[in-house]
Amino acid sequence: MSRPSSPTAATKAHQFNKILGQKSTSTRLKTPEDVDEALKKLRRLVLVNGIPSDVDPTIRPRLWKLLLRVNDLSADEYLRFVARGPCHVREKIRNDTFRTLATDRLFKEKVKEDMLVRLLDAFVWRNSDEESARPGFTYVQGMNVLAAPFLYTMPSELEAFYCFSTFIEIMCPSYVQPTLEGVHRGLKLLDRCLKILDSELYAHLRSKKLSAEIYAFPSVLTLCACTPPLPQVLQLWDFLLAFGVHLNVLCIIAQLILMRDELMKSSSPMKLLRTFPDLDAQAVIGIAVALVRDLPQDLYTELVRHPYEVRS
């Protein structure tokens, strides 16, 4: 008996659009429960099928906005922030923006540095507003790279701004504190998780004086957006936005597992870890999902909370 064939890209696109279309073309999603049920179905599609962006490039931006629950886009508000000009940390922003995904041709063709600077300036102004109830974020290291996928994916700068702002303020506020407290907590959690999930690899790296703080800082800071190629980063972010950015820690461990043989044989593993191999999102996601089952519940709970729990 022949096995059923996997769905084609066109079929996958239809499955996404059938659910996403309910939000935009009718009033069927009347209640929060309806939205939650739609999101549950969409998350499953992300995990099982992945987004067929080659067939329908509109699916990813629509899905990201729904996952972030970004509905209200005020062009007037954004233009008001932009009209205020350079924010007080503009020089710091400029020092980073020219390096953002600098070797990625696709990104450089679509996203100009001025767009990135303008969005980051506006974000700082949004959080400097005395009338705002927001906790007063400012620009910190890594924000330029975290903004990059939104500017590349969204149809407009306006949509990118509101998605990025919501993402930072709701999903990973601890990562953008002045001390980067969430990033450092994520690195410590990476070490603790690796020790449980692969004690042999953990011991080998520690014997070479290697901790996550040394080899995984960029990957934690940028949620792996620093590892090319960009289309694979976007596929990984589909997963992180759908299931939680805390899973990025396990995605980094998954990358270590994929290069495990080389790391274990190497007398200088840092040479291999200085530049991670090109990202294979599907393989990384598959391993990361399997790893969740092997973590103690209390450690996994800590992992879940670390991107949004601000302690200082």
Side-chain angles (χ1 to χ4, degrees):
M1 185 175 177
S2 62
R3 295 173 62 186
S5 59
S6 59
T8 65
T11 301
K12 292 177 185 178
H14 175 73
Q15 291 171 334
F16 275 103
N17 281 317
K18 185 177 179 181
I19 302 169
L20 288 168
Q22 293 178 3
K23 179 175 181 289
S24 58
T25 62
S26 77
T27 58
R28 275 176 281 175
L29 298 185
K30 293 177 181 177
T31 67
E33 289 75 17
D34 292 333
V35 175
D36 288 341
E37 184 60 29
L39 284 171
K40 184 177 178 181
K41 293 176 182 176
L42 288 166
R43 288 187 179 103
R44 175 172 166 74
L45 289 176
V46 167
L47 188 59
V48 174
N49 291 341
I51 294 177
S53 53
D54 291 345
V55 173
D56 187 346
T58 72
I59 292 174
R60 177 168 286 127
R62 287 186 289 146
L63 177 63
W64 284 17
K65 283 194 290 184
L66 187 58
L67 290 168
L68 290 165
R69 301 188 187 245
V70 170
N71 299 309
D72 300 323
L73 306 173
S74 171
D76 288 343
E77 181 184 56
Y78 182 58
L79 290 172
R80 190 166 69 250
F81 294 143
V82 170
R84 295 170 76 169
C87 68
H88 64 283
V89 287
R90 162 63 78 83
E91 185 176 352
K92 188 176 180 181
I93 290 172
R94 278 283 188 192
N95 284 340
D96 288 343
T97 51
F98 77 94
R99 293 179 294 211
T100 306
L101 306 187
T103 61
D104 193 290
R105 180 181 56 82
L106 291 173
F107 179 76
K108 288 299 182 184
E109 286 177 357
K110 185 170 182 181
V111 180
K112 305 306 177 188
E113 185 185 359
D114 284 352
M115 294 167 63
L116 191 54
V117 171
R118 190 162 51 239
L119 181 147
L120 293 168
D121 268 336
F123 176 78
V124 174
W125 284 126
R126 166 182 163 97
N127 283 277
S128 303
D129 193 337
E130 292 181 359
E131 297 178 5
S132 168
R134 287 178 283 273
F137 297 99
T138 188
Y139 178 80
V140 297
Q141 178 187 6
M143 267 191 189
N144 56 312
V145 183
L146 293 175
F150 293 106
L151 280 167
Y152 184 83
T153 297
M154 290 298 150
S156 70
E157 191 176 312
L158 177 68
E159 290 163 285
F161 170 74
Y162 281 102
C163 285
F164 169 74
S165 298
T166 301
F167 174 73
I168 292 294
E169 294 162 8
I170 303 299
M171 294 192 77
C172 57
S174 76
Y175 273 48
V176 296
Q177 298 302 303
T179 59
L180 302 179
E181 67 166 86
V183 176
H184 292 295
R185 210 180 312 153
L187 290 161
K188 288 182 174 65
L189 284 163
L190 197 159
D191 281 329
R192 290 168 60 194
C193 291
L194 182 60
K195 187 176 183 179
I196 291 170
L197 297 169
D198 193 333
S199 59
E200 189 180 11
L201 178 57
Y202 172 81
H204 177 62
L205 294 177
R206 293 299 292 176
S207 74
K208 306 299 181 183
K209 307 268 192 298
L210 290 177
S211 66
E213 284 273 359
I214 295 170
Y215 66 79
F217 181 81
S219 297
V220 174
L221 177 73
T222 68
L223 303 177
C224 288
C226 61
T227 305
L230 183 56
Q232 292 295 308
V233 170
L234 300 180
Q235 190 175 338
L236 185 68
W237 274 40
D238 295 336
F239 171 68
L240 296 178
L241 290 173
F243 294 96
V245 297
H246 64 281
L247 289 167
N248 182 58
V249 169
L250 297 184
C251 289
I252 298 168
I253 292 176
Q255 291 174 77
L256 297 178
I257 290 172
L258 287 169
M259 56 194 299
R260 186 184 194 279
D261 290 346
E262 292 84 355
L263 289 170
M264 292 299 295
K265 290 175 189 172
S266 176
S267 59
S268 301
M270 190 59 202
K271 289 182 180 178
L272 299 170
L273 292 169
R274 192 165 285 119
T275 304
F276 276 42
D278 280 3
L279 194 61
D280 180 346
Q282 188 172 9
V284 165
I285 290 167
I287 294 170
V289 169
L291 294 176
V292 171
R293 297 192 299 264
D294 297 325
L295 287 179
Q297 185 57 51
D298 58 340
L299 179 56
Y300 185 68
T301 299
E302 199 174 336
L303 186 67
V304 169
R305 296 174 66 90
H306 90 274
Y308 63 80
E309 188 177 65
V310 179
R311 294 176 178 173
S312 60

